[in-house]
Amino acid sequence: MHESADEPRALLQAQSLCFARNDEVIFGPLDFSLHAGETVLIEGDNGSGKTTLLKVLSGLLDPTSGDVLLHGAPLTLAKLSHQVALLGHLPGLKLELSALENLRFATGMGGIRPGITPHLALASVGLEGYEDAPLRTLSAGQRKRVALARLLLVPAALWLLDEPYANLDRSGIDLVNRLLDHHARRGGAALITSHGAYAFTSGTPRRIALKASA
Amino acid sequence: MHESADEPRALLQAQSLCFARNDEVIFGPLDFSLHAGETVLIEGDNGSGKTTLLKVLSGLLDPTSGDVLLHGAPLTLAKLSHQVALLGHLPGLKLELSALENLRFATGMGGIRPGITPHLALASVGLEGYEDAPLRTLSAGQRKRVALARLLLVPAALWLLDEPYANLDRSGIDLVNRLLDHHARRGGAALITSHGAYAFTSGTPRRIALKASA
Amino acid sequence: MTDFLAMHGYAAYVWPAYAVFAIVLFADAIAPVFARRRILRDIAARARRAASRKSP
Amino acid sequence: MKPGTTSSACIALLRRDLLLVWRRRGDALNPLLFAIIVVALFPLALGPETTVLARIAAGTIFVAVLLAMLLSLDALFRSDLEDGSLEQLVVSPHPLALLIGCKIFIHWLTTALPLIVIAPLLAQLLQLPSQVLPVLMIALALATPLLSLIGAVCVALTVGMRRSGMLLTLLVLPLIVPALIFGAGACNAAQDGFAYSAPLLWLAAWLVLSIIIAPLAAAAALKISLS
Amino acid sequence: MKPGTTSSACIALLRRDLLLVWRRRGDALNPLLFAIIVVALFPLALGPETTVLARIAAGTIFVAVLLAMLLSLDALFRSDLEDGSLEQLVVSPHPLALLIGCKIFIHWLTTALPLIVIAPLLAQLLQLPSQVLPVLMIALALATPLLSLIGAVCVALTVGMRRSGMLLTLLVLPLIVPALIFGAGACNAAQDGFAYSAPLLWLAAWLVLSIIIAPLAAAAALKISLS
Amino acid sequence: MNPLVLWFHKLGSPPYFYSFAGRWIPWLYGIALVAAAFGFYGALFTAPADYQQGDSFRIMYVHVPCAWMGLFAYLFMAVNGFIALVWRIKLSETLAMASAPIGAAFTFITLVTGSLWGKPTWGTWWTWDARLTSELVLLFLYFGVIGLYHAIEDRRQAARAAAFLALIGVVNLPIVHYSVIWWNTLHQGQTVSLIGPSKIAPSMLWPLLTLAIATHMYFFASLFARARVALLELESGKEWVRALLPVTETSHD
Ligand code: HEM
Ligand SMILES: Nc1ncnc2c1ncn2[C@@H]1O[C@H](COP(=O)(O)OP(=O)(O)OP(=O)(O)O)[C@@H](O)[C@H]1O
Ligand SMILES: Nc1ncnc2c1ncn2[C@@H]1O[C@H](COP(=O)(O)OP(=O)(O)OP(=O)(O)O)[C@@H](O)[C@H]1O
Ligand SMILES: [Mg+2]
Ligand SMILES: [Mg+2]
């Protein structure tokens, strides 16, 4: 409450956010805010609650206590806007459909940024030639890239990415960094999780550390 | 054929091994051999066929051409011995059972090394206190550690590990390296895949590079 | 007394009915006792586990 | 920026789901096959006496159709859950009830409609008197959307679970019993030469009510079971 | 080193699978509920006339039990496939046919046996004449293991597929029709006061044959569909 | 604030309810036992045999109170479920879920005793008449609620999902109760009425009412016992639960 008055209004704000499962605290009271143009890295060991935090921030789980504010207003599933794009452990892609069909569905649901098409997006994640292959026949890393292409297409200002680097090769990791850079430069914000084992190359982002619950 | 006569007999040997799906070659003719005490890293970009190679080596897929020899004898599913332990993308663990119950099943199926118990194995992968928690309630990295504990228990000389580093934090990666080291020192051999984005710290293992198929 | 127990020929229906009533409700009444014991044991076990997690 | 409108979202969803059904068209045929098989098993199990078969024809067809739909209900949200699409639907800014309404409609279109279309064939297998057939078709046309709607609410409740499998059956059936009694009852009445419009009207009224309430209830249930 | 013996592997597998059934005991009850529900739907659909119900009782119970088992068959290898356990079983050095035999046995024990146990209740719901009940129980005891065995072969064939669901039904049913005809036929014969031992003996002979062949066939099919 | 509202607020807090219920359970069981003793005495010894049904009508004294309780428990569950869904009160979730198995038990007894009564009076254990069918549906609804509750891992989420189902199932209650009026069936019509005159002799009636009191008391006793256990599970991380454990188990950090 005390923060929001002076500063420019944060895109996302967590106020003493707490989540517990059956009364075991998963992550402690967290306070942070995320402004346009920022990329923040959530670090923590296995089981420290990174995935859980992203679910709370996207409204999929209700916090045990504390608040999530989106543009200063409390976040509820009922009031979600086009602002948030979530990429979880599960990519939300249909294995029976081709990459292109999956992306077309995503733009139908979430709209599309001007000046980009599904074809272009696939090309820029390095998947030209795979447009029409059913996702089932792509390898783990190739599927991840399709999910990244979706981020490029859909006009969301806030990205919540759970371990975007997992399963990607070196060029894939570079790709994620380029995407994040680009997103920050045009005024977006991103929250990404990582257990810190990957090289995060683009500058030194702000970090939020989660401790293993105990 | 020409190799096997002079050298000490290899644990695993691939002779002009080739795999194709619908006449598209996934990986080209490969020749390599793996001796006791060795750890070999299979490197390749996303979609270069690492997972497919491991499946062929374990006998789950039949090679299109070429042979896999285990201790000099051709490998078939019917003649698999206790020599091979496979850890694929899917860990083969039951989410409804606890870590301990999963390991007990594994030792029932595959036998147990002398001097180790499921409890000890769990402790040495850093999961003491989680023995009785259903696997469903563990995070992605914690589940991976249970699968690693299984490797410790079961008396197999050859380990085939698909991306053992994925989903693990820094201490988890160290753990894998320690396990591989230990395994090599007592005369085992391991074949592991990685797309090279992780720090592989224990010395410089021999590498086999797969090119992206095209 | 035997007359009473015979229920004029309806014993085979009346007594089972009363027996079902008694048995089902008795089972229902003691179920929470066992559940309570199990849960207290679980809580204690969980506390021990949590303690051993903190140590390393 | 062109944020997606709700109508374009619905169209995208309908298109994708139809496309998916088309890609898995083998699976889409399954309820049909199931119903045919159930119906075909009865003459085998009961022996081929025409009078017995004719007497139980309408009821058996009704049961077979309901079971076939019931079993396909389980898949309504399952694959969306497994690959994370459902999360994406729920966090999307469009009214969830509407999106779910679309999915229910697709379910009815791709499972119930084919079943209604082959109902005459099933009737023939069991020697149903031909004057009862129109009543059976109308009753099925009213009862099947009801099942899709009520079923969706129950599926939404069980969606977070590992393998809800037949728990779903347990949840849906008590709720669908009246539809069965009225629907099959109308057919039996027609077969015996009695008036059959009252039960059909009941079904219709109930259907209208469900169309309004069920998508909202399913959306609420879905949020509960994903939270 | 203590490499595991085959017998210890079988015991480990039996124990794990029983433990899993116990952990998911809610799901394990499902075939039971399904059969009860199918049987209960018939009087609702047909009306409560005792003579009609009694005439179709044995056949309907047979169909319901077979369907309930059929639907639970799908899960025989599915979860093992999904979490990679099946790969581990296949690459294990023990005879695959034996391991699969263990799994089939667990399937029968946990789905068919409870169904046989409640058959008298189902018979009561459909007013089956009480002298037919023993015949029904024996027929079920012979036909259900057959279904488990034959079903396992078909499941093994379809296991690599995304959602084999009811394709499985399609594969299994033609194979199981004779069991249905003999089993239900014996009951109908008993109900009509005829001799019923011949069909039961046929069933028994067929069962013995299947016990020997089916695990081997299932193992072969599994290897084909995983590669 | 109104003292009654205040008391309800206090009751809603799990530790308070835990001790409150603990105090009442022995009394409730006691009253239930005494009332049952009186009731059964009346039912088996003082009530005259029915002129039509002979002694088989004595089944009524278990059948009817249990039938009432099956319906009452469902209503109780639905009301608490509603409160739980709208105001998210933990205690209501607990009470709703605790009443499901008890209600199922009563419904089960109703079905079995009804069957046992039906055989001598109607000549069959079971028919598909409207009351019997809807009572069976009630049992399935209970099973559904219980099954759903146990199939979901998170206890509170499970309770809310099951409460939702319970609410949907409420439509069945009037069907059970009025089925004998709406459809003319085999089952006995309404014979006992609290408002109008009852169509039953007083010497037959008082044991019935006494047994109804006994089953109500039993319901609340069992409900409280189950709710206490459920609260322990739900609140297992909380201080007040830790304090209940033996001293050696409580950790000191
Ligand atoms: C399985 C069979 C039966 C079932 C499921 C059943 C169910 C019920 C139910 C649910 C009620 C409570 C209705 C209400 O208060 O709204 C009830 C009441 C009653 N039942 Fe049954 N019943 C069965 C068999 C019988 C039989 C065979 C008789 C006697 C011939 C009988 C006599 C009564 C009577 C006298 C009442 C009290 C009615 C009143 O005062 O409202 N029932 N039964
Ligand atoms: N469904 C669940 N029920 C109970 N506990 C859970 C559940 N899911 C996760 N947990 C527990 O919550 C904690 C946090 O899990 P989470 O998945 O958020 O970790 P994470 O930081 O994403 O870890 P990883 O890097 O391994 O993916 C873990 O200790 C885990 O055991
Ligand atoms: N079931 C399949 N059908 C057809 N093609 C497939 C199938 N599975 C994989 N492929 C193709 O085979 C190639 C190799 O896939 P594989 O999974 O072995 O790659 P990988 O090296 O493990 O990649 P990653 O690092 O992304 O996991 C890929 O180009 C992929 O598109
Ligand atoms: Mg995670
Ligand atoms: Mg791979």
Side-chain angles (χ1 to χ4, degrees), chain C residues 4 7-8 10 13-14 16-18 20-21 24-25 28-29 31-32 35-36 39-40 43-44 46 48 54, chain F residues 18 40 44-45 53 55-56 58-59 61-62 66 105 112 116 119-120 218 222 226 228-229 236 241 245 249 253:
Chain C
F4 168 72
M7 280 281 153
H8 296 106
Y10 290 113
Y13 305 107
V14 175
Y18 280 73
V20 165
F21 176 85
V24 172
L25 290 191
D28 175 77
R36 182 189 162 82
I39 280 168
L40 285 178
I43 295 174
R46 192 166 348 142
R48 265 197 310 272
K54 268 172 234 164
Chain F
Y18 185 85
F40 281 130
L44 293 171
F45 297 102
Q53 305 185 355
D55 276 332
S56 75
R58 295 187 198 279
I59 294 176
Y61 294 107
V62 287
C66 288
V112 173
L116 285 166
K119 187 66 183 172
Y218 172 82
S222 179
R226 284 173 183 275
R228 267 162 62 97
V229 173
S236 55
V241 175
L245 293 177
E249 310 283 20
D253 37 8

Side-chain angles (χ1 to χ4, degrees), chain D:
Chain D
M1 300 244 211
K2 230 190 334 161
T5 62
T6 298
S7 65
S8 78
C10 286
I11 292 170
L13 187 61
L14 289 172
R15 266 193 34 202
R16 186 198 66 162
D17 277 8
L18 277 178
L19 197 59
L20 279 174
V21 172
W22 178 244
R23 288 285 151 79
R24 297 171 185 158
R25 53 194 173 277
D27 291 347
L29 282 181
N30 280 333
L32 216 60
L33 287 170
F34 181 82
I36 296 176
I37 284 170
V38 171
V39 168
L41 284 182
F42 268 85
L44 298 176
L46 301 180
E49 275 172 58
T50 310
T51 49
V52 175
L53 290 183
R55 172 64 187 82
I56 65 163
T60 305
I61 292 172
F62 230 91
V63 171
V65 167
L66 290 193
L67 286 178
M69 286 191 68
L70 207 61
L71 295 171
S72 70
L73 262 183
D74 189 38
L76 189 55
F77 300 124
R78 173 153 307 269
S79 81
D80 278 350
L81 178 79
E82 279 170 0
D83 61 18
S85 300
L86 198 58
E87 269 181 15
Q88 300 284 346
L89 282 191
V90 173
V91 302
S92 94
H94 312 294
L96 188 58
L98 201 64
L99 298 178
I100 289 180
C102 292
K103 288 194 78 75
I104 298 176
F105 175 65
I106 295 278
H107 177 260
W108 182 81
L109 198 71
T110 55
T111 62
L113 201 57
L115 284 169
I116 296 176
V117 170
I118 61 147
L121 173 68
L122 299 179
Q124 200 54 57
L125 281 179
L126 292 181
Q127 327 262 9
L128 184 80
S130 58
Q131 82 274 12
V132 186
L133 187 59
V135 183
L136 177 66
M137 304 280 281
I138 295 173
L140 283 178
L142 291 171
T144 50
L146 252 174
L147 184 68
S148 282
L149 289 161
I150 295 177
V153 180
C154 296
V155 186
L157 278 175
T158 60
V159 85
M161 295 157 33
R162 277 91 70 202
R163 43 198 70 239
S164 53
M166 295 190 246
L167 172 63
L168 186 63
T169 322
L170 181 64
L171 300 189
V172 175
L173 269 166
L175 299 176
I176 205 68
V177 158
L180 177 68
I181 293 179
F182 285 138
C187 301
N188 293 338
Q191 198 159 350
D192 298 344
F194 297 135
Y196 52 78
S197 54
L200 291 183
L201 288 177
W202 268 109
L203 272 186
W206 200 19
L207 177 58
V208 171
L209 202 71
S210 299
I211 288 178
I212 300 166
I213 295 176
L216 292 168
L222 202 56
K223 280 180 194 158
I224 290 174
S225 53
L226 282 184
S227 75

